[in-house]
Amino acid sequence: MISSVSFLSLPFVNFFDNAMASSSCCVKSWPIVAFATAEARSSWMEQPRPSYLNSSCSSPYDILGIPVGASNQEIKAAYRRLARVCQTDVAAIDRKNLSADEFMKIHAAYSTLSDPNMCANYDWSLFWRQQQ
Amino acid sequence: MVEPAYTVTSDSETTGEEKSSTFPEIAIGIDIGTSQCSVAVWNGSQVELLKNTRNQKIMKSYVTFKDNIPSGGVSSQLSHEDEMLSGATIFNMKRLIGRVDTDPVVHACKNLPFLVQTLDIGVRPFIAALVNNMWRSTTPEEVLAIFLVELRAMAEAQLKRRIRNVVLTVPVSFSRFQLTRIERACAMAGLHVLRLMPEPTAVALLYGQQQQQTSHENMGSGTEKIALIFSMGAGYCDVAVTATAGGVSQIKALAGSTIGGEDLLQNMMHHLLPNSENLFKNHGVKEIKQMGLLRVATQDAIRQLSSQTIVQVDVDLGDGLKICKAVNREEFEEVNRKVFEKCESLIIQCLQDAKVEVEEVNDVIIVGGCSYIPRVKNLVTNVCKGKELYKGMNPLEAAVCGAAVEGAIASGVNDPFGNLDLLTIQATPLAIGIRADGNKFVPVIPRDTTMPARKELVFTTTHDNQTEALILVYEGEGEKAEENHLLGYFKIMGIPAAPKGVPEINVCMDIDAANVLRVLAGVVMPGSRQPAIPVMEVRMPTVDDGHGWCAEALNRTYGATLDLVTLQKKA
């Protein structure tokens, strides 16, 4: 049974979701494929995914602002570009926690896509969903 | 007893300071090595190393307490190297800081001229300097603070402005407790720590800047370069594997160990005089002098063996004790075989953790004082399949230059030419977790996790109707809990009574952008959406002293009554 209470969804995430809508560093939107419940998704994954990714409907590709099936080099370039924007060492004090949460999402997306096994599973589950 | 003439600034001075300067206060970079130190600052277009009044960029890391007025290696000049070994001078402070008296590194320092005593019960070692025939006690933090005061005075004199903010380099293997001691010493010296950077991470930042300047690539794109960074000084050996492109350096893996030139020296001293530990045990004036003579002679021999293959050691220790021996390089390497093997294993482990093959490495960077030792160069080259070593850095200056660059970035300096458009994505050097599953160390945040980080694990009770749980937070790599550094502890109380294995105890660890660690713990009963009791949030480390003793006392007091086990996830 997956715990229904998680510290990974701290209140800041909600604030970030609002801030992101108006932020100049908002990731580009791509066509979003609807997902079912977290339980349904977890059956495809070999490893449990961070639950805060479940709380938003963004896919790792959306978070990084790249098309589905992007090459490894494109994934890395996107990761670096967003890391610069979000994890600047000179982030203002009031933005520090925002930057940290934001960066963790970006890094989690990058980790998913740069791990060959997880990426293949993710792409396959996406393909399967599109057949519905 | 006459009180020392110096004044150590109190903590309160570091807060509430009036900002009088209209320019950004640029943080300086400081690299206090176990034996040498240096200071650097971004001067507007490049990194500049600061010099003391004797025009030295590299200074020795020591504080001498002779004449009752302590002075450090920044401003004072010992009349002869022997004077450092008279018992009045304390060095190797970086090796002693934040350690307990059961630590083998502390015991190795007993062979030094100043006094190190241990009770072997997990408390701080006793440290003293011989001043006017009297042993005067001190602490590594105090010695380091005195030294930092001099560094600060030197920097302020040369830059002609007040210095408050610093970026310091630290060994990869430093625990969070040791980091707090470093920060404490800085606070005593009136300095505010912006960042504590693992030494190879500072080198990676400098490397990233060099790549940026060389290629003028577009931001966030361009060819990725993998660098292996090996750093070995007098006290520590550190390794990092980094991926760099477009000014962004990602630390993929870190590895570190407390081995360095000091170990090579001690092994060699023991080789030249096998019974030295017993001979010097009394720490009398005569024995101290003998220790010093042996140390100087051995140091000279090791230094010469970097450029020649055989060296003659001739030293008269008095009392009819003479050493007259030819030592060749192979002998030196054999005596220190275990040290070199450990260095090699660190490199291999780091490459494995980074999931990088040797063939993928573009640049092999070797820095630190021991990088001049032929065997050290050879072992790095051998692991890297004979790849040529990177030539773009001064081995003794790379870490402090990287710290200065970080100081400029963290201070908000904007460089119009883009030389500071850099970012280092850092990684945790050590795993952080709790004691569970019967005295095992269960990592919640694994080693080499990208920072900032937030990870959680779910645990459960081990006894029917268990209503309390003891959370012991450790940092390290050992499999058993006690093999690691105890960071802190707290109790979860009020767990609803239930058969063992039913309550879900969620332990989350969060490292924020400022490298502050918080541990959160909450209890959820199956089927419920709300925590059963208020969530606890504890900033770590909480154990301030005696953490060696503390772990044993907690174990003796509570045994396994408040233990937890990892909750196995159901499909």
Side-chain angles (χ1 to χ4, degrees), chain A residues 4-5 76 80 84 90 101, chain B residues 224 246 409 421 454 528-529:
Chain A
S4 56
V5 171
K76 288 190 177 187
R80 290 202 158 84
R84 268 182 178 282
V90 290
D101 287 339
Chain B
E224 178 181 76
I409 294 171
D421 284 347
R454 190 183 298 133
S528 169
R529 297 187 57 84

Side-chain angles (χ1 to χ4, degrees), chain B residues 246-303:
Chain B
V248 179
S249 297
Q250 184 191 0
I251 307 296
K252 295 176 84 70
L254 288 165
S257 181
T258 313
I259 48 173
E262 183 67 25
D263 300 278
L264 305 177
L265 175 57
Q266 297 253 2
N267 289 339
M268 203 58 182
M269 286 168 69
H270 184 78
H271 176 67
L272 292 173
L273 190 66
N275 201 30
S276 53
E277 281 90 13
N278 283 332
L279 286 174
F280 300 150
K281 198 165 53 179
N282 286 339
H283 247 82
V285 172
K286 185 188 68 179
E287 284 86 6
I288 290 173
K289 189 183 178 198
Q290 287 175 332
M291 255 188 270
L293 289 170
L294 177 61
R295 188 176 170 95
V296 169
T298 311
Q299 254 169 352
D300 286 347
I302 293 177
R303 214 167 278 140

Side-chain angles (χ1 to χ4, degrees), chain B residues 305-319:
Chain B
L305 284 174
S306 291
S307 55
Q308 56 202 62
T309 57
I310 191 165
V311 66
Q312 182 72 23
V313 178
D314 279 310
V315 58
D316 185 353
L317 301 180
D319 276 6

